[in-house]
Amino acid sequence: MATADIIPVGLGELDLVADLYNQVFAPPRDADSLRRRFEGRRNILILIAQLERRPVGFLTGMELKPDTHFGWLCGVLSDYRRAGIASQLLEAHLAWARDQGGYELLRFECYNRHRPMLHTAITHGYNIVGIRWDSQHHDNLVIFEKELSEG
Ligand SMILES: CC(C)(COP(=O)(O)OP(=O)(O)OC[C@H]1O[C@@H](n2cnc3c(N)ncnc32)[C@H](O)[C@@H]1OP(=O)(O)O)[C@@H](O)C(=O)NCCC(=O)NCCS
């Protein structure tokens, strides 16, 4: 396992997040489209994973409702996968949510085709709580939740 520095950053770092996003996901998004998604949201969380000061992964999230924090995006650059980077991001998200007080659940959604994330979620004790049809992308999203009271 590679021990990463997990660094919380603010909305001022959305250019960096967009850069990482575009190395992991397609089609590309710019910082403004990410900013738009966060607009008006409470408790925005942006975590950057760094190895020797090089950003190699990220996780973003926001409050979904008073008892649930939503992990919106998580990605790790392909050269750095299977080294525990996403695990450290997910653990940091969990620790952060517990510190906030008031949250009972973490939730995220993942396309069925994003197999590594399905594996990662299961490994980290998330439960599958549902599936919803994403009519914009014509694909199913698997809905995962984890109770903060669980280990
Ligand atoms: C999903 C993703 C974030 C995982 O990142 P990662 O840093 O490689 O994950 P970790 O190394 O922390 O893996 C933790 C555990 O999850 C499971 N896992 C992760 N990737 C896996 C894969 N490709 N196949 C099987 N199991 C996998 C394993 O149990 C792994 O532990 P192990 O390596 O000790 O066996 C990364 O593959 C990624 O960025 N994928 C593309 C983006 C994406 O699909 N994001 C999710 C949609 S929001």
Side-chain angles (χ1 to χ4, degrees):
M1 188 178 109
T3 302
D5 293 317
I6 305 296
I7 302 168
V9 299
L11 291 170
E13 298 294 333
L14 285 182
D15 281 328
L16 169 61
V17 176
D19 181 48
L20 291 167
Y21 177 94
N22 293 332
Q23 291 181 64
V24 174
F25 297 100
R29 296 181 81 132
D30 60 15
D32 279 343
S33 88
L34 298 174
R35 191 169 291 110
R36 176 72 184 80
R37 185 74 170 78
F38 286 125
E39 227 165 61
R41 298 295 183 154
R42 293 172 70 101
N43 278 345
I44 293 163
L45 178 67
I46 305 173
L47 298 174
I48 303 292
Q50 287 191 351
L51 284 178
E52 295 171 355
R53 298 195 168 189
R54 184 198 155 101
V56 297
F58 68 103
L59 181 150
T60 69
M62 64 195 85
E63 183 173 294
L64 182 67
K65 46 189 180 171
D67 68 354
T68 307
H69 200 264
F70 184 68
W72 177 38
L73 297 168
C74 178
V76 172
L77 303 187
S78 54
D79 286 350
Y80 298 92
R81 290 182 190 159
R82 296 308 288 272
I85 304 295
S87 298
Q88 290 165 75
L89 286 163
L90 291 173
E91 278 156 22
H93 184 199
L94 183 67
W96 175 90
R98 282 183 175 141
D99 278 355
Q100 296 304 300
Y103 290 125
E104 292 174 15
L105 291 168
L106 294 184
R107 176 187 291 212
F108 73 89
E109 299 176 343
C110 177
Y111 290 110
N112 195 46
R113 64 176 182 275
H114 284 153
R115 315 300 274 191
M117 193 65 204
L118 302 181
H119 284 289
T120 305
I122 298 292
T123 300
H124 280 269
Y126 277 80
N127 295 311
I128 294 171
V129 297
I131 289 179
R132 76 174 178 89
W133 177 247
D134 180 346
S135 49
Q136 190 187 357
H137 294 101
H138 306 285
D139 200 358
N140 279 317
L141 279 159
V142 182
I143 304 168
F144 286 96
E145 280 185 359
K146 179 174 171 123
E147 290 186 26
L148 265 65
S149 57
E150 287 174 8

